[in-house]
PDB file of all heavy atoms in Angstrom:
ATOM      1  N   SER A   2       9.091 118.231 174.667  1.00  0.00           N
ATOM      2  CA  SER A   2       8.620 117.661 173.435  1.00  0.00           C
ATOM      3  C   SER A   2       9.242 116.273 173.268  1.00  0.00           C
ATOM      4  O   SER A   2      10.442 116.017 173.611  1.00  0.00           O
ATOM      5  CB  SER A   2       9.047 118.585 172.258  1.00  0.00           C
ATOM      6  OG  SER A   2      10.329 118.702 172.172  1.00  0.00           O
ATOM      7  N   ALA A  66      37.619  84.799 140.722  1.00  0.00           N
ATOM      8  CA  ALA A  66      38.404  84.135 141.757  1.00  0.00           C
ATOM      9  C   ALA A  66      39.754  83.578 141.393  1.00  0.00           C
ATOM     10  O   ALA A  66      40.784  83.942 141.935  1.00  0.00           O
ATOM     11  CB  ALA A  66      37.606  83.103 142.435  1.00  0.00           C
ATOM     12  N   SER A 132      28.324 107.258 133.433  1.00  0.00           N
ATOM     13  CA  SER A 132      28.518 107.963 132.211  1.00  0.00           C
ATOM     14  C   SER A 132      29.611 109.007 132.581  1.00  0.00           C
ATOM     15  O   SER A 132      29.220 110.013 133.225  1.00  0.00           O
ATOM     16  CB  SER A 132      27.339 108.496 131.502  1.00  0.00           C
ATOM     17  OG  SER A 132      27.737 109.358 130.438  1.00  0.00           O
ATOM     18  N   THR A 171      35.559 120.820 136.972  1.00  0.00           N
ATOM     19  CA  THR A 171      36.614 120.057 136.359  1.00  0.00           C
ATOM     20  C   THR A 171      36.782 120.325 134.959  1.00  0.00           C
ATOM     21  O   THR A 171      37.618 119.696 134.192  1.00  0.00           O
ATOM     22  CB  THR A 171      36.409 118.488 136.486  1.00  0.00           C
ATOM     23  OG1 THR A 171      35.127 118.134 135.880  1.00  0.00           O
ATOM     24  CG2 THR A 171      36.392 118.044 137.915  1.00  0.00           C
ATOM     25  N   ILE A 240      41.183 127.990 109.852  1.00  0.00           N
ATOM     26  CA  ILE A 240      40.527 127.118 110.810  1.00  0.00           C
ATOM     27  C   ILE A 240      41.412 126.739 111.895  1.00  0.00           C
ATOM     28  O   ILE A 240      40.907 126.931 113.120  1.00  0.00           O
ATOM     29  CB  ILE A 240      40.160 125.781 110.078  1.00  0.00           C
ATOM     30  CG1 ILE A 240      39.154 125.997 108.854  1.00  0.00           C
ATOM     31  CG2 ILE A 240      39.632 124.698 111.038  1.00  0.00           C
ATOM     32  CD1 ILE A 240      38.813 124.771 108.141  1.00  0.00           C
ATOM     33  N   GLY A 279      50.147 124.679 122.139  1.00  0.00           N
ATOM     34  CA  GLY A 279      49.988 124.342 123.596  1.00  0.00           C
ATOM     35  C   GLY A 279      48.505 124.309 123.984  1.00  0.00           C
ATOM     36  O   GLY A 279      48.197 124.369 125.236  1.00  0.00           O
ATOM     37  N   ALA A 344      36.071 111.159  94.635  1.00  0.00           N
ATOM     38  CA  ALA A 344      36.520 110.758  93.300  1.00  0.00           C
ATOM     39  C   ALA A 344      35.539 110.883  92.246  1.00  0.00           C
ATOM     40  O   ALA A 344      35.716 110.507  91.041  1.00  0.00           O
ATOM     41  CB  ALA A 344      36.850 109.205  93.424  1.00  0.00           C
ATOM     42  N   GLU A 406      33.514  93.100  93.276  1.00  0.00           N
ATOM     43  CA  GLU A 406      32.443  92.052  93.161  1.00  0.00           C
ATOM     44  C   GLU A 406      31.460  92.326  94.319  1.00  0.00           C
ATOM     45  O   GLU A 406      30.238  91.941  94.155  1.00  0.00           O
ATOM     46  CB  GLU A 406      33.026  90.757  93.201  1.00  0.00           C
ATOM     47  CG  GLU A 406      33.857  90.309  92.074  1.00  0.00           C
ATOM     48  CD  GLU A 406      33.148  90.397  90.676  1.00  0.00           C
ATOM     49  OE1 GLU A 406      31.891  90.118  90.684  1.00  0.00           O
ATOM     50  OE2 GLU A 406      33.761  90.903  89.667  1.00  0.00           O
TER      51      GLU A 406
END
Side-chain angles (χ1 to χ4, degrees):
S2 62
S132 176
T171 60
I240 294 174
E406 294 300 325

